[in-house]
Amino acid sequence: MPLRIAGLSGFDVDNTVKQLMAAKTIPLDKLDQKKQTYEWQRDAYREVNLKITEFRNNKLFNFKLEGTFNKKDITVSGNSEAVTAKASASAMNGNILINVATLATPGGNYSENAIAADGFDTSKPLSTQSEKLAHGTPLPAVYKFKINGSEEITIDPTKESLNDIINKINSNTNVSAFYDDTNKKLSFVSKETGLVNGPEKNGQYIIFDDISGNFLNTIAQVSTLGANKTAATNAAVTINGLPTTRTSNTFKVNGIDITLNKAGGGTAVIEPKTNTNEIMDSIKTFVSDYNDILKNLQDKTTETKDRSYTPLTREQRTSLSESQIEKWEERAKTGMIRGDGIVNGIVSQLRSTVTGFVDTGDSKIRSLSDIGITTGQYYENGKLYVENEDKLRAAIERNPEAVKALFTQDEKPGASSSTVGIAERMYSSLKLGLDKLTAKAGLANTTFDSSTISLQITQVSKNISLTEKRLQDMEDAYYVKFAAMESAMNRYNSQSQYLANQFGGGSSQ
């Protein structure tokens, strides 16, 4: 850039150059506005992308889960103290009769004698407490043992206390241990009930295996076949007339979580029933969420573009405050995707999906209208209404599986697309729409991508840079010309002054 020293002759070079460049910058302003419009369009598409993604992934996905329609209420009658029951997502209808003969219990064992004297500190290394232990022999350098076929546990008595040993047992075996300071004994109990003990995990008794140092037999004073052993037992129950056993007091039958609480007392009757109200609430929520996304998309494609508000030029921005710029751009951003084919296509697909038929296996439940859900007036553009709640309730109570299939049924192999549920169809079709939106404008928070609009922005940015360079060169050329002109004018003025002085001086003589 040439050194600019202008105005020495009294000629306003800066203002003249500014006026000359004003017309030349119009193409640059148009490029700036074009880039800004592309950026606003990109942001509008990405906003729609986010809205659809949130509806599809968080609302529609959760709605089409099987558990949404497997809402069950459970009642227990008869010997209700014997069991408690809770329905899972896969719970089936149909009574379950249970008679509890015995509960499952864990295996156990404890020290045959006190293992220490008064004053024994469970927090200090065993070697420092040797005199207070009842074993009566010097401690070895290391203890190694297994419990119930666990990984080998190694103990350094010079570093580890009884508390450390108990922590290792509790962390590395399927047995819990604790020390009772009152009677100075160690107690062991299986973490699980039933015949789960030993290396094969099918035994009654906890298996103690000293490998080196005899910690279990000598220090803890426990043995597998000792007098203080307690045998684990399986639960013995009769389910719907069939005698059977369980290692745990908690198990699942037909998708119902059952917990045994008490043996004897007769038969408990577990009765699952469809929770119609919860299913209705889920369907109403789906209708509301669908209406929200439909309206949001329709508002975007029908939003009026105010053509009197165009992106501000660089010069215009300098004369406005931040709040004025914000208000102007709020108006200028309207109608960015008005009439867009991609978004209109998504809207059309949504409306087509909810008005289609589904082969549910029940000729009376094949569409939303069959369960009391209808579209509004033509001017409401496909809005859904739960018009007849009694009809919806009756359909759920009569055939909940068909209602579930109407929304969530997967495509059956070899069958037509009419077997696919409404929510499943919608989930798939929205993915296709999202792919098109991403190809058009990319994803939110993405700086660089190969989407159509991003490539357009990149090209315009290059054109802006070239235009800025061309205008800078042009402005510099003007300053060079005017500098030369001023230099010539200064020389002319100097010569004129010299001549005037010469002629003026001669006449005075």
Side-chain angles (χ1 to χ4, degrees), residues 115-117 119-130 132-133 155-167 179 181 184 186:
I115 69 170
F120 176 73
D121 192 335
T122 60
S123 66
K124 293 182 179 179
L126 283 184
S127 60
T128 67
Q129 304 292 299
S130 177
K132 295 183 176 64
L133 289 170
I155 303 298
D156 182 348
T158 65
K159 298 179 180 178
E160 294 176 277
S161 66
L162 182 61
N163 287 345
D164 295 328
I165 297 170
I166 290 172
N167 286 335
Y179 177 73
D181 192 52
K184 307 297 189 293
L186 275 168

Side-chain angles (χ1 to χ4, degrees), residues 45 80 110 147 155 162 232 287 314 321 367 385 429-431 488:
Y45 279 114
S80 58
Y110 62 92
I147 299 178
I155 303 298
L162 182 61
V287 169
R314 302 181 189 187
S321 66
S367 67
Y385 288 91
S429 67
L430 286 178
K431 175 62 168 62

Side-chain angles (χ1 to χ4, degrees), residues 103-252:
L103 296 176
T105 60
N109 210 323
Y110 62 92
S111 304
E112 295 183 3
N113 303 293
I115 69 170
D118 289 342
F120 176 73
D121 192 335
T122 60
S123 66
K124 293 182 179 179
L126 283 184
S127 60
T128 67
Q129 304 292 299
S130 177
E131 294 180 357
K132 295 183 176 64
L133 289 170
H135 65 95
T137 59
L139 299 183
V142 68
Y143 289 111
K144 295 181 179 181
F145 59 85
K146 294 182 178 181
I147 299 178
N148 267 345
S150 67
E151 293 184 4
E152 186 175 281
I153 295 175
T154 301
I155 303 298
D156 182 348
T158 65
K159 298 179 180 178
E160 294 176 277
S161 66
L162 182 61
N163 287 345
D164 295 328
I165 297 170
I166 290 172
N167 286 335
K168 279 192 172 183
I169 292 172
N170 292 342
S171 300
N172 297 286
T173 75
N174 64 349
V175 169
S176 293
F178 89 97
Y179 177 73
D180 183 18
D181 192 52
T182 300
N183 57 35
K184 307 297 189 293
K185 292 183 178 183
L186 275 168
S187 171
F188 300 84
V189 65
S190 302
K191 293 177 182 177
E192 300 174 89
T193 59
L195 305 184
V196 296
N197 295 298
E200 303 301 323
K201 309 303 180 188
N202 59 2
Q204 290 179 295
Y205 301 109
I206 298 174
I207 303 300
F208 298 96
D209 183 13
D210 272 315
I211 297 172
S212 175
N214 291 327
F215 173 83
L216 297 172
N217 290 330
T218 304
I219 301 296
Q221 297 190 41
V222 291
S223 63
T224 299
L225 300 178
N228 296 332
K229 66 182 182 299
T230 301
T233 61
N234 284 340
V237 296
T238 300
I239 302 175
N240 287 354
L242 176 66
T244 185
T245 60
R246 295 288 189 276
T247 59
S248 173
N249 291 315
T250 300
F251 50 89
K252 192 184 293 287

Side-chain angles (χ1 to χ4, degrees), residues 489-507:
M489 290 177 65
N490 288 334
R491 286 196 301 273
Y492 172 77
N493 290 336
S494 295
Q495 290 174 357
S496 297
Q497 185 65 42
Y498 173 76
L499 292 173
N501 289 337
Q502 290 298 319
F503 286 115
S507 61

Side-chain angles (χ1 to χ4, degrees), residues 80-93:
S80 58
E81 294 181 353
V83 301
T84 53
K86 181 181 179 182
S88 67
S90 59
M92 303 178 187
N93 286 339

Side-chain angles (χ1 to χ4, degrees), residues 11-26 471 474-475 477-479 481-482:
F11 179 63
D12 191 346
V13 176
D14 285 334
N15 188 53
T16 302
V17 171
K18 183 177 180 180
Q19 291 178 5
L20 289 171
M21 291 299 299
K24 306 293 185 182
T25 59
I26 292 176
L471 291 175
M474 188 179 298
E475 185 178 273
Y478 277 133
Y479 273 104
K481 290 179 180 179
F482 285 123

Side-chain angles (χ1 to χ4, degrees), residues 268-326:
V269 180
I270 300 172
E271 183 178 7
K273 291 183 178 179
T274 300
N275 189 323
T276 304
N277 288 335
E278 283 196 37
I279 296 175
M280 287 183 66
D281 288 343
S282 295
I283 293 174
K284 289 177 183 178
T285 298
F286 164 76
V287 169
S288 176
D289 291 339
Y290 167 83
N291 286 338
D292 286 345
I293 190 67
L294 187 70
K295 183 178 186 303
N296 183 277
L297 298 181
Q298 290 172 335
D299 287 348
K300 289 294 183 182
T301 59
T302 58
E303 186 178 48
T304 301
K305 172 66 178 174
D306 192 339
R307 300 191 179 280
S308 60
Y309 284 81
T310 58
L312 295 168
T313 65
R314 302 181 189 187
E315 185 69 23
Q316 288 171 332
R317 283 179 172 274
T318 61
S319 62
L320 297 175
S321 66
E322 287 296 325
S323 61
Q324 288 174 320
I325 292 173
E326 184 178 348

